[in-house]
Amino acid sequence: MPILVAILGLLTGMVVTGFALLQDPFSLFESATDTPIDAPAQLVTSSAIGRGLTFYPVGILGFEDAQVEPFADPALRYARLELALLDSGDGGARALAVKLSAPRGDNSLVRGRLVTDSAWNVIWPGHGSLFLAGRDDYRPLLADHLLNAASGKGLQGTERPQLMTIAPRLLGSGGRLAAAAGTYREYWNPDSRVELELGLVDD
Amino acid sequence: MTRTFLFSFLAGGALILAAAAIFPLPVHERFPSRIEVLTNGGRSESFVIHWPEDRLQLTGELDGAAVNQADGVAVLAPRRRPPVSAEVFRLRDVEDRVIGIATRLTGRMPGRRGRERSASSWTLMIPSRGILMLTQNNGANVGPVRVGGRWLAAVDSPGFWATGSRYRISAGPAPGGRGRVLAGTGEFRSLTGEYSEVWELEELAANQRSQGTILLNTVTARQR
């Protein structure tokens, strides 16, 4: 009987601590906040291709995805590259965008910090170009996927988009957008697609 | 019994914390930075790209964009507007070690008085250090060229190297015809400055396929 109680205690302790880590009880770091994109000009991802570290949540832990072509160079092993087409909300010209991202060196499972640094460079024919930078928070995604796996649903997210972007910033712009202000956010969609929403206001 | 449960509960928690602490999360390989400190307190760092071998190919298709797989140039050519392109390269330090990824977006941008000019924007990501963002006006149209129904990178287009084998591409907006280092993240956070982009031809084959080097020389200082 004492052995059974000890095993039960051990397992309970492991599950409760693991759950607590995934929920980030310490809240030492900022997390994604949902800023409404309410701007006259909007760009939203319509299609994208990528290479490098998988953006599937377990990729942030260093697990490689056989479906994704990695970079062979040691310095690029955990880098990710994405090329995307963005649709404008009014049916006007589409934009071409490139995203570069890589996990931060100070990520920590104990502190619940699983973040990538990311930067977007967008070129919009007839309008101008934009530089965006922020961080992608993978902890809520990973927690969502692992909790679903633990409840027998398999390693998948819940059927609602998850916000990923922390501290989004518009760092620079050119052409007619030189005086533009704006913000952006990225969502992880249930179909395992990451979607960018970018809103711009002309100053 | 209660004591046994509590003790094993704490042991289970400690086990998970220890496993989380020693779990090997991704760590980027880092090479020593080749930075020259300038007498005015700024810093100079140069980056090198060799074409065609440093061009990175992306597999897959973007809806509506001609992604030229052979040359690694993605071209978006909307109606009644000039085309824009995206290129991706491996980025090297001056000792020729691959340290990151560089992307260049090029297109004709509307200017202040409605005149269009060729402009490029670079994003340089060194995973172990951070991201640097650069922008410039181009001295020539270095965007993709359509030849025989196919988009080609400017360096491989007919006649591009007819007038020389070393072109300085940067033509402003910073003084001296240099481009601007706009912003950065990580180690490059709060750095701004100027840069120049130079293309050097090394070999030109009879079919116009070229081989050469792009040099990006940055001079930056921390914003006060």
Side-chain angles (χ1 to χ4, degrees):
Chain A
M1 189 65 174
I3 293 173
L4 274 178
V5 171
I7 291 171
L8 187 67
L10 195 73
L11 290 176
T12 312
M14 290 168 78
V15 168
V16 168
T17 309
F19 183 79
L21 284 178
L22 287 173
Q23 295 306 312
D24 189 19
F26 310 113
S27 298
L28 294 177
F29 301 98
E30 71 229 287
S31 55
T33 49
D34 197 356
T35 316
I37 302 287
D38 182 19
Q42 294 194 19
L43 291 168
V44 179
T45 307
S46 67
S47 69
I49 50 177
R51 181 172 168 182
L53 181 80
T54 172
F55 56 78
Y56 207 68
V58 291
I60 194 76
L61 300 177
F63 296 112
E64 287 166 11
D65 183 347
Q67 308 293 315
V68 179
E69 188 186 2
F71 296 112
D73 308 280
L76 310 184
R77 186 173 169 205
Y78 299 114
R80 176 151 185 89
L81 158 70
E82 281 174 71
L83 181 64
L85 259 185
L86 309 178
D87 278 341
S88 60
D90 59 1
R94 300 208 281 183
L96 194 58
V98 179
K99 180 187 183 183
L100 295 175
S101 57
R104 286 177 67 101
D106 57 357
N107 280 348
S108 160
L109 281 172
V110 174
R111 290 179 297 168
R113 183 183 175 88
L114 293 168
V115 174
T116 60
D117 273 330
S118 67
W120 280 95
N121 190 355
V122 180
I123 189 163
W124 194 6
H127 295 267
S129 59
L130 299 159
F131 284 111
L132 314 166
R135 296 191 290 282
D136 299 337
D137 188 3
Y138 280 80
R139 186 196 52 77
L141 292 178
L142 187 67
D144 192 34
H145 281 65
L146 291 181
L147 290 174
N148 272 338
S151 61
K153 294 178 190 164
L155 194 61
Q156 60 181 27
T158 46
E159 290 180 5
R160 62 187 162 81
Q162 294 251 23
L163 187 72
M164 301 174 68
T165 313
I166 301 174
R169 289 175 297 156
L170 172 57
L171 289 180
S173 51
R176 277 195 200 127
L177 302 173
T183 190
Y184 76 99
R185 59 186 177 183
E186 284 182 81
Y187 282 102
W188 174 275
N189 279 332
D191 59 359
S192 301
R193 235 166 44 102
V194 176
E195 190 168 286
L196 169 74
E197 282 183 15
L198 166 65
L200 294 169
V201 186
D202 274 324
D203 265 349
Chain B
M1 204 69 86
T2 308
R3 249 173 39 192
T4 307
F5 182 83
L6 278 177
F7 180 76
S8 51
F9 179 89
L10 290 174
L15 266 176
I16 288 293
L17 281 174
I22 62 170
F23 186 86
L25 287 171
V27 176
H28 303 294
E29 176 127 358
R30 177 167 187 157
F31 298 105
S33 312
R34 297 295 173 215
I35 299 167
E36 187 186 339
V37 179
L38 305 176
T39 49
N40 67 358
R43 47 189 255 170
S44 168
E45 187 167 12
S46 297
F47 304 101
V48 178
I49 293 164
H50 301 300
W51 84 79
E53 66 263 37
D54 284 341
R55 269 189 200 284
L56 289 169
Q57 308 287 328
L58 285 171
T59 51
E61 279 186 7
L62 281 182
D63 175 31
V67 180
N68 190 332
Q69 297 292 347
D71 296 315
V73 184
V75 181
L76 177 63
R79 281 184 188 174
R80 293 190 297 275
R81 289 189 197 278
V84 297
S85 67
E87 296 164 276
V88 188
F89 304 93
R90 284 186 198 87
L91 184 69
R92 298 172 186 266
D93 63 11
V94 288
E95 294 181 3
D96 225 29
R97 295 175 298 209
V98 174
I99 55 170
I101 301 177
T103 70
R104 178 176 61 202
L105 299 188
T106 305
R108 294 192 70 79
M109 291 289 114
R112 282 184 189 156
R113 292 176 188 167
R115 286 179 57 193
E116 288 191 335
R117 57 165 193 256
S118 176
S120 295
S121 48
W122 284 93
T123 307
L124 315 181
M125 180 179 74
I126 303 170
S128 58
R129 294 174 60 194
I131 296 167
L132 200 57
M133 298 165 169
L134 324 173
T135 184
Q136 70 178 16
N137 301 331
N138 297 323
N141 184 11
V142 294
V145 179
R146 198 170 172 88
V147 179
R150 184 161 177 250
W151 290 101
L152 294 176
V155 289
D156 292 330
S157 61
F160 187 81
W161 297 105
T163 56
S165 60
R166 189 176 196 274
Y167 295 151
R168 181 183 162 127
I169 305 301
S170 309
R178 296 168 69 86
R180 282 222 165 90
V181 177
L182 276 184
T185 69
E187 275 181 27
F188 302 113
R189 194 180 177 91
S190 69
L191 287 182
T192 57
E194 299 169 359
Y195 79 102
S196 66
E197 177 182 344
V198 173
W199 294 4
E200 283 183 359
L201 176 70
E202 288 160 5
E203 199 177 316
L204 185 62
N207 63 358
Q208 294 295 320
R209 290 285 167 184
S210 64
Q211 187 176 315
T213 301
I214 297 172
L215 298 167
L216 294 167
N217 298 305
T218 64
V219 176
T220 53
R222 205 157 288 281
Q223 280 176 308
R224 294 180 194 284

